[in-house]
Amino acid sequence: MQTLTIIQPDDFHLHLRDGDAMQSVVAYSARQMGRALIMPNLKPPISTVAQALAYKKRILAALPENSNFQPLMSLYLTDKTTVETVREAKAAGIVAFKLYPAGATTNSDSGVTDLFKLLPVLQEMAEQNMLFLTHGEVTDPEIDIFDREAVFIERVMKPILAKVPNLKVVFEHITTAQAAKLVCESGDNVAATVTPQHLMYNRNHLLVGGVRPHFYCLPILKRESHRQALVDAVTGSYAHKFFLGTDSAPHPKNAKENACGCAGVFSALTAIELYAQIFEENNALDKLEAFASKNGARFYGLPENSRTITLIKQSQKVPESVVFGDNEVVPMCAGQEILWSIQEA
Ligand code: NCD
Ligand code: ZN
């Protein structure tokens, strides 16, 4: 049977939630990932160093015994973040700040209303070599939801990069050809994460034959040509600028299967298997290890993980749902056979 051994991957965009919900999902990531960049959009958001350190402790306490999983912490950027916060964060080992434009997505009410007012904070991040992670969508109600990433590039990303040219930016969960192009054309200080769902699906999956709430995430799935552009980006000649970030974002089943269903795809259960399937389908299995285990570590200035994992070409059926606190969560590809599995050590 075909096997593929790679350096243990990292997930540079992960929502773990908190409390019982976190307790239910953290082991799925810890089973396959060496490290994960933990998203700070809790309620209330993780916006101070003290909150981040306490959250990190709760994550470590929720891990299975003997786990080598390391959470990398980020702070939620708000209108109130100061230059001092950046210095304090650096000293405390926090690696990044996450921009949520106010109102852009789940728990983003405390997000930034005008990024240009935070230029000194961004300059300090550049100075301290801290990463600036962006949810790259405008929230202007006049802008069509399918255009919000492309408009963000023109209105925010390009002007910010012009003003703080040495800022280390991760354009999170990119979904468009425009975003892929921007990353390819920018300097080595600009990179992007790409989720499994944006590599696998287009907006027809979300909307044809009925509204399928488990395909609803933000930024929203785009048309097929954009999906193809993302596949080209992660396998093409600038592939070193793109890396694994699942954006695994669990929500209770009933909150998604709802008249106002919330955004987020829960992929942590079989993340590396899904990426393996995508890369193989695109004749690029040889590029999986760099995407999953090398490019992100290099961009973050971290060593590659010392362990390896072995993938095996053996299909597995993804469960219809798994426990999520006192509820359940429906994973990506629920009920389907997927082509790869992890070989248990
Ligand atoms: C994320 C969540 O649920 O926290 N949802 C999503 O659709 N991606 C928030 C986010 O990353 O935008
Ligand atoms: Zn996210």
Side-chain angles (χ1 to χ4, degrees):
M1 191 154 324
Q2 192 186 352
T3 63
L4 176 66
T5 298
I6 58 170
I7 295 168
Q8 187 172 30
D10 298 307
D11 183 350
F12 282 104
H13 189 130
L14 179 64
H15 299 268
L16 281 182
R17 315 308 188 200
D18 208 346
D20 291 348
M22 168 172 70
Q23 189 76 49
S24 321
V25 295
V26 67
Y28 297 124
S29 293
R31 186 174 150 254
Q32 39 183 267
M33 303 293 170
R35 295 166 291 213
L37 191 289
I38 311 300
M39 285 292 147
N41 64 331
L42 301 185
K43 260 185 175 171
I46 302 293
S47 59
T48 68
V49 170
Q51 285 172 320
L53 296 181
Y55 185 30
K56 183 176 184 180
K57 266 197 188 159
R58 297 197 295 279
I59 296 168
L60 291 172
L63 286 173
E65 248 174 79
N66 302 325
S67 174
N68 70 324
F69 179 78
Q70 265 181 274
L72 305 168
M73 305 311 289
S74 64
L75 287 192
Y76 192 113
L77 193 67
T78 76
D79 290 343
K80 297 198 181 97
T81 307
T82 63
V83 166
E84 271 312 305
T85 324
V86 178
R87 292 189 191 134
E88 252 185 76
K90 177 72 181 185
I94 288 157
V95 298
F97 281 81
K98 175 73 191 287
L99 166 71
Y100 290 96
T105 184
T106 310
N107 299 347
S108 64
D109 312 344
S110 321
V112 172
T113 51
D114 183 359
L115 187 60
F116 294 91
K117 290 199 177 128
L118 289 174
L119 277 179
V121 172
L122 298 181
Q123 267 143 6
E124 188 63 24
M125 278 181 216
E127 192 77 19
Q128 299 283 346
N129 202 24
M130 287 196 84
L131 276 76
F132 177 57
L133 318 179
T134 66
H135 182 114
E137 288 191 289
V138 293
T139 53
D140 181 345
E142 311 246 297
I143 304 297
D144 188 277
I145 187 169
F146 291 100
D147 298 333
R148 287 179 175 199
E149 184 173 282
V151 172
F152 180 89
I153 292 170
E154 300 306 322
R155 285 193 190 170
V156 183
M157 195 67 123
K158 285 183 180 171
I160 288 291
L161 284 170
K163 286 187 197 301
V164 195
N166 54 342
L167 185 62
K168 253 182 144 168
V169 179
V170 184
F171 201 150
E172 297 292 338
H173 43 50
I174 60 165
T175 65
T176 57
Q178 290 93 322
K181 181 164 181 278
L182 176 94
V183 172
C184 293
E185 289 176 354
S186 298
D188 279 342
N189 58 315
V190 180
T193 53
V194 192
T195 75
Q197 66 267 24
H198 292 107
L199 290 168
M200 204 177 250
Y201 301 132
N202 63 44
R203 63 195 194 181
N204 282 8
H205 292 91
L206 171 69
L207 294 169
V208 172
V211 178
R212 295 167 201 279
H214 295 291
F215 290 80
Y216 176 58
C217 64
L218 289 170
I220 198 161
L221 293 169
K222 305 296 192 297
R223 63 169 67 241
E224 173 60 14
S225 56
H226 290 294
R227 188 197 68 81
Q228 192 57 58
L230 299 182
V231 170
D232 292 347
V234 301
T235 57
S237 36
Y238 290 92
H240 62 282
K241 306 193 86 187
F242 299 90
F243 50 88
L244 190 159
T246 59
D247 195 19
S248 176
H251 290 275
K253 182 173 191 241
N254 57 9
K256 295 216 38 97
E257 297 175 8
N258 192 290
C260 185
C262 51
V265 172
F266 173 55
S267 57
L269 194 59
T270 57
I272 192 63
E273 297 95 311
L274 291 171
Y275 282 113
Q277 181 167 324
I278 294 158
F279 274 72
E280 186 184 38
E281 273 165 11
N282 292 285
N283 300 315
L285 209 45
D286 58 322
K287 307 234 166 75
L288 177 68
E289 185 181 44
F291 176 79
S293 318
K294 294 183 170 190
N295 299 344
R298 192 176 56 244
F299 193 78
Y300 271 75
L302 298 167
E304 290 167 8
N305 289 313
S306 51
R307 298 191 185 185
T308 58
I309 64 164
T310 298
L311 290 157
I312 172 165
K313 185 84 184 282
Q314 183 172 56
S315 70
Q316 58 167 316
K317 188 168 183 224
V318 180
E320 296 285 354
S321 73
V322 295
V323 171
F324 186 53
D326 54 8
N327 213 299
E328 54 183 331
V329 55
V330 177
M332 182 171 168
C333 295
Q336 292 175 33
E337 292 279 334
I338 60 170
L339 301 180
W340 288 84
S341 300
I342 296 177
Q343 193 171 58
E344 295 301 336

